[in-house]
Amino acid sequence: MARFGLVLVVAISLTIALFPDTTTAQLKPKFYGNSCPNVESIVRTVVNQKVKETFVTIPATLRLFFHDCFVNGCDASVLIQSTPNNKAEKDHPDNVSLAGDGFDVVIKAKKALDAIPSCKNKISCADILTLATRDVVVAAGGPSYTVELGRFDGLVSTAKSVDGNLPGPNDKVDKLNALFAKNKLTQEDMIALSAAHTVGFAHCSKVFNRIYNFNRTHSVDPTLNKAYAKELQAACPKKVDPRIAINIDPVSPRKFDNIYFKNLQQGKGLFTSDQVLFTDGRSRPTVDAWAKNSAAFNKAFVTAMTKLGRVGVKTRRNGNIRRDCGAFN
Ligand SMILES: *[C@@H]1O[C@H](CO)[C@@H](O)[C@H](O)[C@H]1NC(C)=O
Ligand SMILES: *[C@@H]1O[C@H](CO)[C@@H](O)[C@H](O)[C@H]1NC(C)=O
């Protein structure tokens, strides 16, 4: 390292001169236009193949991207494997174990890119995950959109950094708004991104409280549609393996659409954090508007995803391009 010291200093000052210190300045759709002009089609081919093999790739990739950006910025820190000396983000108890197919799609896309000499080790893992996320949305029938590129991969990933940064299934609107605001996202962004649950699934353990022991006076959460509560009890009997998975959108679980909002109007939000978007008067008008108008929802979703993709972006100064997405260089 020492013998590169001078080169490094020169490189850093050059970088500072070329890249002003704003996190979004470096992002642009054609960031790899010279080095790897086909990056988008290469990633898309891998994503579509993987989606054909397992649908779960879609929610898994969305969840991974969301988790990555909310914890320490969109810098692929979530992809890092723990080592004996470091418990990484992905092994926090709010784990992304569900997201195995999301990890896999990034690793496969990276491999496909590395097979092309001009792309090899040129595309950040953070950008691969961002592209793959857009591609799974499209694969599920959601809106397509331009992805800004130029994120660098983070140099830190700790389980501790996850604490208190991810929304949970029992969160109410105030808490949700506060967590999103930390990432410069508005209540509208929060509602639009929550709708990614249109293709999500959950484990029975996460809804037991709403269908069996809500509180002292109500065993079932009274904001839950009664017929839907019965369906959930049938799918998740008290003694079921808590890892059994159920769809979050009971109507069109494999389609990215605005039915999520129609479900909320009928009391069919799986989590408290879904249903409160309708029961809370502050967010209800947006839920009602997007239940009626899917184009308006799509537009808001694209805006929110683009803003999410700008959170905590790393530059050449505090990031690099990982050779292996699961390990620091
Ligand atoms: C994380 O994963 C473990 C096992 O994979 C599971 O037992 C635990 O409930 C999960 N935690 C959360 C918060 O999902
Ligand atoms: C249980 O929840 C319902 C609905 O939110 C509420 O009306 C009731 O007061 C709660 N009961 C207790 C004991 O907290």
Side-chain angles (χ1 to χ4, degrees), residues 19-61:
F19 297 91
D21 192 19
T22 66
T23 49
T24 58
Q26 60 174 341
L27 293 182
K28 55 180 183 185
K30 295 271 178 254
F31 189 83
Y32 302 107
N34 294 325
S35 54
C36 184
N38 297 326
V39 58
E40 300 211 23
S41 62
I42 296 163
V43 172
R44 190 185 319 120
T45 303
V46 171
V47 169
N48 288 342
Q49 178 58 36
K50 174 85 186 163
V51 166
K52 237 191 273 171
E53 289 160 17
T54 54
F55 179 83
V56 170
T57 304
I58 294 173
T61 305

Side-chain angles (χ1 to χ4, degrees), residues 3 31 64 76 78 89 96 127 166 236 249 259 308 315 321:
R3 65 202 163 103
F31 189 83
L64 202 55
V78 72
E89 251 178 57
V96 282
D127 280 344
L166 290 176
C236 297
D249 173 353
I259 303 257
L308 178 61
T315 66
I321 306 288

